[in-house]
Amino acid sequence: MHLATLARHTLSRGATPAATYALLARLGHQPLPCAQAVCLALDIPQAETTRRLAECDALLTDPRPNAESDTGEVLEALGVFDVPKQLTPTERTVVAHFLTAIDAMGGIRPGHHHGLQRWFTTGNLTAAYLSLAATHPLPRTGNPTTYWTTLTTAGELLTATPNPDPRIRYALTHCRTQTTRT
């Protein structure tokens, strides 16, 4: 059976991408083809799959024995198996505002940046907005005015969509309040 077909079947039975990777690897297949198969089964485009897996070269070229589950979990945590969402023009505009706000922060922790990138990829803009609204620009290197006004604009766009998450309205109110304080 073709690896991608087996991966697709395993995913259809409710397995996570990490567990699907581990199953394929435990069957004796090499790590890179296993990861590629899971990505293809998730309909992640080949070019994107190649880019993502190139960043995991060390993890996939020298696997630890009996660590298939751990490797699958690491790949999942890194976002290798994140299914990209096709964003609408409004959503792309919101992401552009988020990127402007991130620049205005004056610095961002790598883990926070990684989480935001994953949310942008998967289209979870609510989580990204709530996370940014709960953060503050750095006092010495950030630009609070740009940060809060950009987040206010992004929040207004998010609340204009059909059935916005109610938490966005509270975060938007917070951003507006912060804008008046800068």
Side-chain angles (χ1 to χ4, degrees), residues 17-18 38-40 42-45 48-49 51-52 73-85 114-124:
V38 174
C39 288
L40 293 174
L42 292 167
D43 294 324
I44 297 171
E48 180 64 14
T49 295
R51 185 193 67 74
R52 291 179 187 189
E73 292 294 328
V74 169
L75 291 170
E76 194 163 305
L78 290 172
V80 169
F81 302 135
D82 286 352
V83 177
K85 178 185 182 263
H114 176 71
L116 289 167
Q117 288 299 325
R118 289 188 71 191
W119 288 326
F120 298 164
T121 299
T122 59
N124 191 347

Side-chain angles (χ1 to χ4, degrees), residues 24-129:
L24 297 176
R26 273 193 221 100
L27 291 174
H29 301 287
Q30 292 298 310
L32 181 59
C34 293
Q36 289 170 329
V38 174
C39 288
L40 293 174
L42 292 167
D43 294 324
I44 297 171
Q46 181 65 45
E48 180 64 14
T49 295
T50 301
R51 185 193 67 74
R52 291 179 187 189
L53 293 176
E55 296 173 359
C56 302
D57 192 49
L59 180 66
L60 297 172
T61 56
D62 190 23
R64 289 187 357 236
N66 301 316
E68 297 87 359
S69 293
D70 293 341
T71 302
E73 292 294 328
V74 169
L75 291 170
E76 194 163 305
L78 290 172
V80 169
F81 302 135
D82 286 352
V83 177
K85 178 185 182 263
Q86 188 68 32
L87 300 178
T88 66
T90 301
E91 290 170 328
R92 286 193 300 272
T93 301
V94 169
V95 170
H97 285 299
F98 289 165
L99 294 173
T100 300
I102 290 168
D103 286 343
M105 285 176 83
I108 186 169
R109 295 181 333 272
H112 190 196
H113 189 264
H114 176 71
L116 289 167
Q117 288 299 325
R118 289 188 71 191
W119 288 326
F120 298 164
T121 299
T122 59
N124 191 347
L125 302 186
T126 296
Y129 185 71

Side-chain angles (χ1 to χ4, degrees), residues 101-102 105-109 112-113 116 119 127-138 144 147-148 151 174-175 178:
I102 290 168
M105 285 176 83
I108 186 169
R109 295 181 333 272
H112 190 196
H113 189 264
L116 289 167
W119 288 326
Y129 185 71
L130 296 174
S131 177
L132 288 168
T135 307
H136 293 274
L138 295 175
Y147 185 76
W148 295 114
L151 285 181
H174 170 72
C175 292
Q178 294 300 318

